[in-house]
Amino acid sequence: MAVIAIVNSLFRIGLSRLDVWSLCLMINLILLPEAMFLMGVQLSYGLSLGLIVSDKFSYVKQTVFLNLLTIPILLFHVYEWHLLSVAINLIVLPLFGKVIFPLVITGVLVGVMMPVLVQPIDWVLRLFNDSLNWVSGLPGMVTYGKPSLIVVILALLLTFGFVIKKAHPKGLMISLCLLYVSTFLVIHFPTQGEVSMFDIGQGDSFLIRTPFNKTVTLIDTGGKVDFSNHAWERGTPNYQAKRLSINYLKSMGISRIDYLCVSHQDADHCGDLPAFIKEMKIKNILIPLGMDHNPNFMKRIAGRNPATKVIPVNDEMRVPDLPLSIFHPYEMGKGENHDSMVLSGRFGGLNWLFTGDLDRPGEIDTLQRHPQLSTDVLKVGHHGSKTASDPQFISQVRPKFAWISAGRNNRYHHPNIETIETLQQAHIKIYNTQTQGMVRYVYRNNAGHFETVLHEHEGNA
C-alpha cells in the first residue's frame, strides 16, 4: 500500500487514499485471497481504512474509534480483549506512524542492498513486539467468547457509523453497547448444556458443561507422550491444548473450570495440565486416591494457584456440587491404569460413564462393588485397547453409544479390532475421533442430539 502511494505521488496519477487502499485490497484478493482469513490481514486493512476515514478526528477520538474497530475482529479470532487496550494504544499508535511503519519500509527497501541494516531494525521491531506482549500479560484480560459473524459485521457497521456526519453518535454508542452486552450474555449463559469429546489425537479430554455454564467440568487434559531420553532433546514444552481444548473453552466465554478430574497419571491424559493451570482459573483438581504422593504428577501441578484445591478421591467420596459420581478407585494407588478414576453422571436424559484407562480386572472389580452400574454412553476404556472393555463389563452396563478417543494412525493401533467387535456384537453405536473428529452431545432439559465435526448432526437421542 505504501509503495502504491509513493508511485501515485511520484507520477501524479491522482489516486485518493481510499483508491490506494482499494487497489491494494484488489491485488491481495487476486494474488493471495486466502490471506483475508488471517486476523493480522483483517486488522491491517481495517485499521488502515479506519485511519483514512477518520483523518479529521482529534487524536484521542481517532484512537478510540480505531480501538472500537479492532474489537470485533479480535473477539472473533482470539475471544479475549484487554481493558488496557485503549490506554496503551493512545501511547502506541503515534509510534506506528512515526517509527514502526518507516522502519518496516526501510527494512524492505534497504535490506536487499545492505542486509546488515536489517538486524538493528529487526531488533527494534522485536523489542516493540515483546513490550506489547508484556503489557498484554497484565491484569485486565476479559474472556468474552466468540461472537457470530453477523454480530461482527453489525459491530463494524455501527463503528463506521461514527464517521458518517448524518449518524447520531449517542444512538450509535447505545446500539453498539447493547450489541456487545447482549452477545456477551448469550455466550456466557447458554440455555443448552453439552458433553464433548475433544479431538486431541492419542489421549483423552472431555468437557461437561451444564446449562447457563452453572458448572464446568473437565475430565483429563490430553497431552503428548514424550519419548526423549535426555532433557536437551525435549526443548520447550508445546501444549496442544492451547490451540484445541483451551481455545474452544475461551470461544465459549469460559475462563474457569470448577472441577478438573484427572483419571490417572499418564501423559496422554494429564500432560497438558500445566497449560490449563496457566490459562484458566481452576477451582478443584480431582485425582485418584494416592496420586498426590506421586512426585512426577505433583510436578505437573506445581505452578497451580494456591486457591486451587487438590482433592484425592475414591468411590466412597462425594464431592460437593460435582455433577458426577465416583465409582473407582476404591483403594490407594500411584495413579496407574488400574487406578483410573471412573465417573458417572446424567446429562440430557442420558447416563454417561467415563473409565479412563481402567483395565479389564478393574472393570470387573467395579461391577462387583457397584452391581447396579449401567449407562447409555460409555467412554471406552484405554482408547479402545483390548486390555479394556471386557465383554462381561459391556454386557452388564449395557451402553447404547460408545465414545472412543484415539489418535489417527497411532503407534498402539487403537482401537483394537477385538474391542470394536465386542461393541458391534452388542449393537452399540460407535463415535470415534479418528473418523469423526470432535464429538458433542448438546442438550436442553432431558433431550439432546449428537454432533460431529466431520459429519453433520447425527440425530436426536
Side-chain angles (χ1 to χ4, degrees):
M1 193 182 301
V3 171
I4 294 172
I6 293 170
V7 172
N8 177 55
S9 177
L10 288 175
F11 293 94
R12 299 180 180 180
I13 299 174
L15 297 176
S16 67
R17 286 181 296 172
L18 188 56
D19 292 333
V20 172
W21 182 89
S22 303
L23 183 58
C24 183
L25 176 59
M26 287 188 288
I27 294 172
N28 199 155
L29 290 172
I30 293 171
L31 297 179
L32 198 65
E34 60 270 25
M36 301 309 299
F37 291 101
L38 298 174
M39 178 183 67
V41 175
Q42 294 171 6
L43 286 173
S44 296
Y45 280 103
L47 286 172
S48 56
L49 179 60
L51 286 169
I52 292 171
V53 300
S54 63
D55 62 332
K56 295 182 180 179
F57 284 12
S58 66
Y59 170 65
V60 174
K61 187 176 180 180
Q62 187 181 56
T63 302
V64 173
F65 169 73
L66 294 176
N67 272 270
L68 290 175
L69 206 57
T70 63
I71 290 175
I73 299 174
L74 289 171
L75 294 181
F76 187 75
H77 288 280
V78 299
Y79 327 127
E80 294 179 311
W81 184 72
H82 207 290
L83 294 175
L84 296 176
S85 295
V86 177
I88 294 301
N89 282 329
L90 284 169
I91 301 172
V92 167
L93 280 177
L95 295 177
F96 274 98
K98 297 178 180 179
V99 180
I100 303 302
F101 286 161
L103 279 176
V104 171
I105 294 172
T106 302
V108 171
L109 298 178
V110 180
V112 177
M113 297 176 290
M114 302 178 64
V116 69
L117 292 178
V118 175
Q119 292 184 355
I121 292 175
D122 181 67
W123 183 84
V124 173
L125 294 176
R126 286 180 181 272
L127 177 63
F128 179 76
N129 185 68
D130 292 343
S131 300
L132 291 181
N133 289 333
W134 177 81
V135 171
S136 69
L138 296 175
M141 185 65 76
V142 176
T143 302
Y144 184 93
K146 183 176 182 177
S148 66
L149 183 59
I150 294 176
V151 170
V152 172
I153 294 173
L154 283 175
L156 290 172
L157 290 175
L158 287 171
T159 303
F160 273 109
F162 284 102
V163 301
I164 301 174
K165 300 300 181 182
K166 295 181 180 180
H168 196 283
K170 187 175 181 180
L172 285 172
M173 183 58 70
I174 293 174
S175 299
L176 195 59
C177 289
L178 287 175
L179 179 65
Y180 281 122
V181 171
S182 59
T183 302
F184 180 89
L185 294 175
V186 169
I187 293 173
H188 283 253
F189 301 98
T191 58
Q192 294 180 325
E194 70 173 288
V195 183
S196 295
M197 174 170 60
F198 291 114
D199 181 16
I200 57 164
Q202 185 63 23
D204 271 6
S205 188
F206 302 88
L207 169 68
I208 300 173
R209 179 183 59 77
T210 56
F212 303 103
N213 286 346
K214 186 176 180 181
T215 59
V216 177
T217 304
L218 193 76
I219 302 175
D220 289 336
T221 67
K224 294 182 179 180
V225 179
D226 193 346
F227 295 99
S228 304
N229 295 321
H230 305 285
W232 60 266
E233 295 179 289
R234 296 170 191 149
T236 303
N238 182 20
Y239 301 112
Q240 65 173 355
K242 288 184 178 181
R243 61 180 179 83
L244 295 175
S245 46
I246 292 176
N247 217 28
Y248 177 80
L249 290 172
K250 290 184 177 181
S251 75
M252 302 291 291
I254 297 172
S255 59
R256 65 123 208 334
I257 297 175
D258 298 302
Y259 302 96
L260 201 161
C261 305
V262 181
S263 65
H264 63 296
Q265 68 164 348
D266 286 358
D268 59 335
H269 289 254
C270 65
D272 283 356
L273 187 51
F276 281 87
I277 289 174
K278 181 179 179 181
E279 299 285 336
M280 312 289 287
K281 179 182 178 182
I282 303 173
K283 293 184 178 180
N284 304 281
I285 298 177
L286 275 60
I287 58 176
L289 187 67
M291 205 162 82
D292 52 325
H293 299 295
N294 185 319
N296 290 328
F297 171 76
M298 295 306 293
K299 190 183 298 183
R300 294 187 191 277
I301 62 174
R304 68 187 184 278
N305 190 302
T308 301
K309 296 180 181 178
V310 179
I311 308 175
V313 300
N314 62 9
D315 65 339
E316 296 180 349
M317 290 190 62
R318 297 294 178 267
V319 180
D321 299 321
L322 175 69
L324 295 160
S325 298
I326 305 165
F327 288 92
H328 194 270
Y330 51 85
E331 60 185 17
M332 184 177 293
K334 297 179 180 179
E336 298 173 342
N337 285 357
H338 55 267
D339 302 319
S340 289
M341 189 188 308
V342 175
L343 300 165
S344 178
R346 185 171 179 82
F347 309 98
L350 298 178
N351 293 316
W352 299 74
L353 187 63
F354 302 87
T355 60
D357 278 358
L358 189 65
D359 53 20
R360 290 192 176 195
E363 292 174 341
I364 302 303
D365 287 346
T366 301
L367 287 179
Q368 291 176 350
R369 288 177 64 88
H370 306 282
Q372 303 304 316
L373 183 62
S374 64
T375 190
D376 296 303
V377 185
L378 171 68
K379 198 293 293 188
V380 177
H382 204 178
H383 321 287
S385 168
K386 64 181 180 181
T387 62
S389 301
D390 189 286
Q392 179 184 341
F393 177 77
I394 298 298
S395 175
Q396 186 163 334
V397 298
R398 303 184 304 278
K400 300 174 184 175
F401 307 94
W403 279 14
I404 300 176
S405 178
R408 295 165 184 81
N409 303 313
N410 65 82
R411 66 172 63 216
Y412 311 102
H413 306 293
H414 295 157
N416 187 271
I417 187 63
E418 181 180 328
T419 300
I420 297 297
E421 289 176 350
T422 299
L423 298 174
Q424 290 176 339
Q425 289 170 4
H427 306 290
I428 298 169
K429 167 73 174 178
I430 299 174
Y431 288 94
N432 187 346
T433 57
Q434 291 176 332
T435 56
Q436 292 161 303
M438 179 178 176
V439 182
R440 299 200 312 162
Y441 179 73
V442 182
Y443 71 90
R444 181 183 285 115
N445 298 323
N446 290 319
H449 62 269
F450 291 92
E451 298 176 356
T452 64
V453 169
L454 302 182
H455 297 281
E456 293 300 324
H457 291 189
E458 297 290 331
N460 295 325

